[in-house]
Structures are given as C-alpha cells and as structure tokens.
Amino acid sequence: MARLDPHSYTDSSHPLAKHVALTLYFDFAANTIHGSALLTLPSAHTGHLLLDTRLLLVHSVIDPVSGAPIPFSFPSSDDPVFGRPLSLSLSAQSAALVVFSTSPSSSALQWLSPAQTASKAYPFVYTQCQSIHARSIFPCQDTPAARLTFSARLNLPSPLTAVMAAARAADTRDPIAGEAGPACSDALWCSPGRAVEEFVMDRPIPAYLFAFAAGCIASRDVGPRTRVHAEGGLVLLDAAAREFAGAEDMIRAGEALFGPYEWGRFDLLVLPPSFPYGGMENPMMVFLTPTVIKGDASGAQVVAHELAHSWTGNLITNKTNEHFWLNEGFTTYAERRIVEVVQGEERAVLNTGIGWKGLNEEMERFADNMEFTKLKPNLEGIDPDEVYSQVPYEKGFQFLWRIERQIGRLAFDVFVKKYIATFKFQSIDTETFLEFLKVNVPGIENQIDLKLWVEGTGIPPDAMEPVSTIYSKIVSLANEFKQGKIPKEEEVADWSGQEWELYIENLPKSVEASQVASLDARYQLAESRDYEVKVAFLQLAVSSGCKEYHGEVESTLKQVGRMKYLRPLYTALVHGTGDEEKMLARRIFAEARDSYHPIAQGVVQSILAKHS
C-alpha cells in the first residue's frame, strides 16, 4: 500500500471517487446520523478500494446496480487519530453504496441540546471537517488530494431547517416512502413531523470542505450574493448583518485582484460560541464564530480571510496538510490585499503587524521541535490539529510578500492571477508551485533562497516586519510600558480593538501585577467586547500572577470555545506560578468540556496532559 497522504488511508494506486450522493437521517435524541453514501468512481474497478472512517458503524455495502452485497472489512483496531480504513472488494464495479451510522462521539459533529442554544427550545448540530474529520461523518477518501462533487438529502424534525456548503436543490418537502433506501426504514424516514431538504455541490471539492448545520436558523440578505444566517436569534442576526454589510465590496475587490468568483453564493452562518475557529471557508457557506462580531466592522477581516479562500484553498487546494501553507499563506496574503482595498492600507499593516508578532511567538512555542516552523514540515504520524499554528499562515504570507517585493506588485499580481487560472479546481503540492514560479519568474531562484524559505526552520533573514506610522507608534508605546508608562488617553483616543490587540501583544510576557491592574483600571481591557483584546489582556494578567482576574478567565473559558482563545488561556494557567492555577484550569475544563466542540476538547486535553 502506497499512501497518497500521510493523514489518509487512501491508496495512490486506487481510483478517486468523483461523486458522492448522501442520504442522512438526523436523530437528535441519540446524537446520531443514519445514512448512506453512494460513491461513484471514474470507471469500473476491480480490487480493493480503501476509504477513511473514524468511529463509524458500517452496516452494509451494496452494489447499487445489482443490489448484491459488496464484501468489506476493517482492521482489528483503530488508530486514535486516523481511525481505520474500510476496505471494499470490488469486481468490475464503478459505484458502491455504503450504509452507516455516525457515533455520538464523532469528532466532526457538535450536537447542542436546546439548553445550549440561543433559542432554548430547539437542538442544533453543525460540522467542522478540517483537517481530517469528514471521515467521522461518512466513509470517504479524506485527503485534500481527492476532490469530488456531492448531492445530499437531509431528513430533519420540523421546524428545524438546514444550511449546507452547497446550493439548495429544492424547497423543503415531506419525506417520500422508499427514497431513503437502506439508509433508514420508511417508518423512521416518513414519521410524523419530519421534513426533507436537498442540496447539491456541482464543483469538485475536498472532503474537509463538506459542511452543514441544522437547527433554528434565521437569515437576512446583506448583498446580491450574500445572505447572513444565525442561530443566535434576531439580535445576533441584526449585529451580524451590520458587521458584514460590506461583503459585496469585498467580493468585488477579490475578483479585481484574483479573477472571477467561481462559487455563485457567498453566504455566512454565525454559529454558537462553541465553534472552535474564527471562521471556516466552506464554499458557498462560510461558518463564523460570533466573537468576530465586534460592532465596528473589524470582524469583517475574518470574513475577508474566508472569502480569500474562495480562490486560494477552495479553488486551489494543498495536496496534503504538509503543504498547508499553500492554502493559508496565500489566503493570508490575499486577505490583506482585500482589506487594503476595502478598509485602507493602515488596517492591512496592523493586521500584518499582529501576524508578525504571532509568527515570532510560534518560534518560541516550537523551540524544542523546529520541524514545525518549516513551510513544508514532515507530518508523518502527526495529528494536524496538534501542531496547528500561525506558521503556515504568517511564514507563508512572508514568503509571498518577499516575492512581491522582489519582482514588484504589478508583476506579482499578474503571476497570482495566472497561478489561480492555471490550477483552479486542482490540489497541488509545494514542488508544483515552485516549478510554476520558476517558469513564470525566470531567475527568481537566484534572487531568493527558495529552499531556505520552504525547507528551512525559523524565520528567514529576508522576512520583514511591517512599517507604518501607526504601527511604529503602537510598538513604541508598548516598549515604554516596560518603564512603567501607561498610554495617555489622547494617545489611544482613536484606537479600535486591532490597535489594542497589537499593543498588548507587544508588551512583555510577564510584568508587575500592579502595572497590569493600573492598565486595566484606566482602560477596562478585561471587560472588552472584543475577544481579541480581552483574551490578550487576560493572558498577560495570568502570566503576571494577577489572581484577581481568575474569575474573568473562568467566565471567558465558559462562554466561548474558539481555540484561538482556549489555547493561550489554558496554557497561561498551566504555566502559572503555582498549583492553584493548574487546579483552576482542570476544574474549568471539567465544567466547560461539554460546551466545547470535540476538536477543541482534544486540544485542551493535550495542553493539560503535558502539564499534569
């Protein structure tokens, strides 16, 4: 067996499925989906076909033409990270119907009880399939090297509704006897109070971009191509509509920079606070945390990032997670170009400054294993969630920015457009990008040390800290804090959350507790509505031994499940000055665990285990 991807059982000698038709029955009482996946291959295949699964119960595999069973097998044990391969034994067959049920412990699904939702009346479920979690929803070739189209038929209890990263194929309708096939009995499928919704994705995508949510969802149009959806009720929907009102301007800016928007719709779903990321770039339906809604449109920068993925990540995809920078480095570059057009150059520079600081902090985080500071690391046997970091984002951005500075922005813009047009709807690796770069920018390898950038550890010497008046002023004020100086009110009068975030990020990691208290007394940072500011300040407070902020830390960790906030706060607690902080971290997690997405649960468990 020759694996196509270190994080998938997909065999490089096997055909890749080109389409999957899903039938899914949602059992909210059991936190389970009963379903079938009809996988279609490009041509008839004889021999084994390996599919990724994790915690899936496979009931049967059927030839959809003859109705005869297809032999299948599993190994005797599961890998805790990668799951186990489902091996089908095909005989000149081009399709296979796999009948399965998900586990309540599926790592891609978070089931919320009515008490955990804004409605307090209806349950909610949503997916997060990146990086390797689609396999816990349906059997698939769960590697970004494999792209396929899909259709989906969802059976839900009324009055719940569903949204998907796909086009709606039909209006909500009553179930029809027989249409579920072996996925579900007619007695269940057609039981009273059930409804069916249908979707189709006709553009080939990798499995990690498969996404849906179902619950009590309200929606509102904010542009000709954008509708905002939210689970959190009308107040949250209103706030989201205001925050993201500029979505169409961003789409047009992206099209001017990178070429046509290929996905039709650009809709947004604001999920419950447990969503583990800032945003997820699911095509046609971006998922967002409510923490990006800040009331000043600055949260739209997260939307700009997810929009940029429409070209770099979704349209062109990294072949495996070892080439993740092709997704995230390119998208961070594209995001800042969009922000520069829509919000101005200073906003983009501040964004770059925050990223520069974050990149330097990742060098400290991985000081004992610098392999993970490479743009193209060796991830054999490594859970990608465990080493998720800003390196592919910010070092990748720096690499592309370095090329732009070398050849000039106009020439680089031409290069990027040609790159996107050449490789759209393909999954590529770093070597493919570098060859394309050298062909289209002759001599670039003599001007930039490409090998050092891609294979070297740390930050290359020709990376660059951003330069601007406001950026320099903020960093200067942060340096003055070391001498005990707190910024005057007139110096920060026009600051938004982004300026405060950059300021706090540039303060020393640990200062006198009295200084922290004085800063907060003047500017109430611990109470900020902007979680970027709030969490950065609370991390500083914990690291400085300010126990009076433990209550606010606990409250924050119980309100949100975004890993960007969980990682630093739990890490600060376990690195605290005594056992009190470690005990607090364990107690908070024990009480908050059920409100976190399974991916976030795993990350926090890892942090606590390393400091047990």
Side-chain angles (χ1 to χ4, degrees), residues 20 59 77 97 302 428 434 493 516 518 554 608:
V20 61
H59 303 291
S77 61
L97 181 67
V302 174
I428 69 169
L434 292 177
V516 175
S518 296
E554 178 173 353
L608 298 180

Side-chain angles (χ1 to χ4, degrees), residues 318-371:
N318 51 240
K319 196 169 186 177
T320 75
N321 279 292
E322 292 183 325
H323 307 276
F324 192 44
W325 80 270
L326 287 170
N327 276 23
E328 296 300 350
F330 254 106
T331 296
T332 302
Y333 175 86
E335 166 204 346
R336 287 169 184 160
R337 291 294 303 278
I338 293 171
V339 168
E340 185 178 310
V341 171
V342 177
Q343 296 187 344
E345 186 175 353
E346 286 289 1
R347 287 290 122 196
V349 170
L350 290 177
N351 185 309
T352 302
I354 292 169
W356 174 255
K357 184 64 177 175
L359 179 60
N360 280 272
E361 290 177 351
E362 296 291 20
M363 298 304 116
E364 298 174 19
R365 172 187 170 192
F366 293 122
D368 293 332
N369 196 337
M370 294 296 283
E371 177 70 24

Side-chain angles (χ1 to χ4, degrees), residues 38-111:
L38 174 59
L39 291 148
T40 302
L41 304 177
S43 59
H45 176 67
T46 296
H48 291 290
L49 182 73
L50 296 181
L51 301 175
D52 292 300
T53 74
R54 183 164 57 218
L55 297 177
L56 285 180
L57 177 60
V58 174
H59 303 291
S60 61
V61 184
I62 301 167
D63 183 326
V65 177
S66 68
I70 293 175
F72 70 94
S73 62
F74 283 108
S76 58
S77 61
D78 284 21
D79 183 282
V81 175
F82 306 123
R84 58 179 180 163
L86 168 62
S87 179
L88 311 185
S89 296
L90 301 182
S91 179
Q93 290 157 310
S94 60
L97 181 67
V98 184
V99 184
F100 63 91
S101 296
T102 65
S103 164
S105 301
S106 166
S107 61
L109 296 168
Q110 183 170 23
W111 300 85

Side-chain angles (χ1 to χ4, degrees), residues 231-510:
E231 186 276 331
L234 293 180
V235 173
L236 179 63
L237 182 64
D238 288 343
R242 289 191 298 270
E243 191 84 14
F244 309 133
E248 181 63 23
D249 291 339
M250 288 187 175
I251 298 171
R252 291 173 180 167
E255 288 181 313
L257 289 164
F258 311 119
Y261 180 77
E262 299 273 1
W263 303 94
R265 299 288 302 175
F266 180 66
D267 292 336
L268 309 170
L269 171 65
V270 182
L271 285 164
S274 58
F275 183 55
Y277 293 99
M280 180 61 206
E281 64 270 17
N282 309 308
M284 304 178 72
M285 181 65 70
V286 166
F287 284 7
L288 296 167
T289 169
T291 63
V292 303
I293 301 173
K294 303 175 184 180
D296 60 2
S298 62
Q301 291 192 18
V302 174
V303 175
H305 183 91
E306 307 312 330
L307 169 64
H309 269 300
S310 302
W311 292 274
T312 54
N314 298 0
L315 206 55
I316 304 176
T317 306
N318 51 240
K319 196 169 186 177
T320 75
N321 279 292
E322 292 183 325
H323 307 276
F324 192 44
W325 80 270
L326 287 170
N327 276 23
E328 296 300 350
F330 254 106
T331 296
T332 302
Y333 175 86
E335 166 204 346
R336 287 169 184 160
R337 291 294 303 278
I338 293 171
V339 168
E340 185 178 310
V341 171
V342 177
Q343 296 187 344
E345 186 175 353
E346 286 289 1
R347 287 290 122 196
V349 170
L350 290 177
N351 185 309
T352 302
I354 292 169
W356 174 255
K357 184 64 177 175
L359 179 60
N360 280 272
E361 290 177 351
E362 296 291 20
M363 298 304 116
E364 298 174 19
R365 172 187 170 192
F366 293 122
D368 293 332
N369 196 337
M370 294 296 283
E371 177 70 24
F372 303 131
T373 68
K374 295 179 179 179
L375 273 188
K376 194 183 77 169
N378 178 4
L379 298 182
E380 184 73 40
I382 303 294
D383 182 350
D385 290 337
E386 278 287 305
V387 294
Y388 177 86
S389 77
Q390 292 301 301
V391 172
Y393 294 74
E394 298 300 340
K395 189 173 180 179
F397 163 80
Q398 285 284 340
F399 181 35
L400 298 172
W401 193 27
R402 174 68 184 89
I403 299 170
E404 181 204 284
R405 294 198 304 274
Q406 185 66 42
I407 68 175
R409 174 167 283 192
L410 289 178
F412 191 63
D413 283 353
V414 172
F415 168 81
V416 170
K417 275 190 173 180
K418 185 176 181 181
Y419 165 73
I420 292 170
T422 301
F423 295 109
K424 67 179 183 180
F425 296 115
Q426 296 180 48
S427 299
I428 69 169
D429 56 22
T430 300
E431 290 69 31
T432 301
F433 168 77
L434 292 177
E435 284 305 310
F436 185 80
L437 174 67
K438 287 185 279 189
V439 167
N440 287 275
V441 187
I444 190 67
E445 67 271 27
N446 301 319
Q447 300 164 327
I448 299 174
D449 190 337
L450 302 180
K451 185 174 182 179
L452 175 66
W453 270 99
V454 171
E455 300 178 18
T457 60
I459 302 175
D462 49 345
M464 193 173 89
E465 185 175 8
V467 177
S468 81
T469 302
I470 183 64
Y471 176 79
S472 298
K473 176 187 175 183
I474 293 170
V475 173
S476 176
L477 287 172
N479 288 333
E480 290 177 359
F481 188 81
K482 299 171 186 176
Q483 283 76 50
K485 181 183 177 184
I486 295 176
K488 299 175 183 176
E489 291 186 10
E490 58 268 24
E491 291 176 308
V492 303
D494 58 349
W495 282 14
S496 66
Q498 202 167 22
E499 285 87 349
W500 274 113
E501 181 187 358
L502 183 61
Y503 174 79
I504 298 169
E505 293 287 356
N506 277 277
L507 294 177
K509 291 300 178 189
S510 179

